[in-house]
Amino acid sequence: MRFDHLSVRQKLWALVVGLILALSVLMGVLLSHMLTLTDETARSVAFSEQRITLAVRWRGLVALARPGGAGL
């Protein structure tokens, strides 16, 4: 069947269905990209928190090792 033989109603429905499919595919791609960004951000935050914890721990150890005790 050729496209010219379809009624206007069928052409409009084909357009609507095509747009819905295209937007669904786009939504899937964007969701996948968003999940990747979320994972990268979570790793970055965990790394930063680990470094902050280590820095605070070292600060406390240095303060204890100073002559005179725990004062900064």
Side-chain angles (χ1 to χ4, degrees):
M1 178 179 267
R2 293 182 53 200
F3 193 69
D4 295 339
H5 292 110
L6 295 175
S7 68
V8 173
R9 187 182 101 194
Q10 291 171 331
K11 290 177 187 176
L12 287 175
W13 272 112
L15 177 67
V16 168
V17 170
L19 286 173
I20 289 172
L21 290 175
L23 289 174
S24 297
V25 169
L26 180 64
M27 183 181 63
V29 169
L30 290 176
L31 178 63
S32 173
H33 182 64
M34 185 184 70
L35 290 176
T36 301
L37 289 177
T38 302
D39 289 342
E40 290 176 7
T41 302
R43 275 195 300 273
S44 176
V45 167
F47 179 71
S48 296
E49 287 178 353
Q50 183 182 19
R51 288 188 50 115
I52 291 168
T53 301
L54 186 60
V56 169
R57 184 178 298 157
W58 271 100
R59 182 178 180 187
L61 289 173
V62 168
L64 287 175
R66 284 186 183 162
L72 294 175

